[in-house]
Amino acid sequence: MSQARPMLWDISAPVHAASPVYPGDTPYQQQWSATIGPGSAVNVSSLTLSPHIGTHADAPLHYDNHGAAIGALPLEAFIGPCRVIHAIGCGLLVEWRHIAHAMTPDLPPRVLLRTYAQAPVDHWDAGLTACAPETLERLAD
């Protein structure tokens, strides 16, 4: 009898030349220095991009000069049971009242807020929903 394996869902958005970029940030670029063919047995390229392209977690260093860089954070913080809370149509800020219904005693240690029915993958949305500071503080608690 085999044990059921936990399901792992990759929620990463695709990263490509048309990926949305915050205005003024570095867009995705890929430059090929070698491609498979005569004279090259491999494909080799370089990438230039902002760490804010695609699905990402902001490092503490993003908000605090003394904060940890993303590579210093334990991977376990990002993998494991979570609850997805729909906060679609909340406007510019997700306030506590939008998600309070999902704060139950069995809340897992990770929470994802879904703010789009379908996230744009080819343009920046100036109406991007953010979390109100109070919401972040209460979630951290």
Side-chain angles (χ1 to χ4, degrees):
M1 183 169 154
S2 65
Q3 284 188 315
R5 299 181 99 166
M7 186 171 295
L8 182 64
W9 290 1
D10 181 355
I11 62 165
S12 304
V15 175
H16 49 77
S19 291
V21 179
Y22 185 80
D25 209 345
T26 306
Y28 173 94
Q29 297 174 13
Q30 183 174 18
Q31 186 171 33
W32 292 96
S33 55
T35 57
I36 296 174
S40 180
V42 295
N43 291 314
V44 179
S45 68
S46 63
L47 300 174
T48 303
L49 63 137
S50 164
H52 293 103
I53 285 187
T55 308
H56 67 279
D58 286 332
L61 181 61
H62 184 58
Y63 299 100
D64 178 357
N65 284 334
H66 303 290
I70 196 69
L73 299 179
L75 189 56
E76 292 78 21
F78 303 98
I79 298 175
C82 73
R83 178 169 298 161
V84 178
I85 302 172
H86 285 212
I88 298 169
C90 292
L92 292 178
L93 289 176
V94 176
E95 297 175 6
W96 187 255
R97 65 186 172 92
H98 296 126
I99 62 172
H101 68 278
M103 299 300 125
T104 60
D106 63 338
L107 189 69
R110 292 161 202 84
V111 171
L112 297 174
L113 299 180
R114 183 176 181 188
T115 60
Y116 285 101
Q118 180 68 43
V121 295
D122 60 356
H123 67 278
W124 174 256
D125 177 10
L128 176 72
T129 301
C131 285
E134 177 195 348
T135 304
L136 292 175
E137 291 168 9
R138 291 183 77 173
L139 283 171
D141 288 343

